[in-house]
Amino acid sequence: MVAENKFNLQSDYNIKQQLYSEMYNMPLGTGSGPTHFLGDIYVGYGIILMWLAISFFY
């Protein structure tokens, strides 16, 4: 979804809900899918900040 730029960061629905909607072809707001904390950083801020967070936490 990141490569296809399908996440809407300005949406009222968070990344977990958007992931669930895409995975199961369901309407937004009907559930949430599992995401890892660093995956949220990757989607929201990019790969460089994700790697900085990995370095900081580990």
Side-chain angles (χ1 to χ4, degrees):
M1 287 180 66
V2 171
E4 296 174 2
N5 201 21
K6 288 188 174 183
F7 285 111
N8 180 1
L9 300 178
Q10 281 70 40
S11 175
D12 290 338
Y13 299 103
N14 62 25
I15 293 168
K16 292 180 179 196
Q17 291 171 317
Q18 292 179 45
L19 178 65
Y20 178 86
S21 175
E22 181 71 19
M23 283 174 41
Y24 299 110
N25 197 24
M26 298 292 287
L28 277 170
T30 58
S32 67
T35 60
H36 191 268
F37 171 70
L38 295 172
D40 291 344
I41 292 174
Y42 174 56
V43 170
Y45 303 104
I47 197 163
I48 293 173
L49 285 179
M50 182 192 72
W51 282 111
L52 286 173
I54 289 171
S55 299
F56 179 74
F57 290 115
Y58 293 108

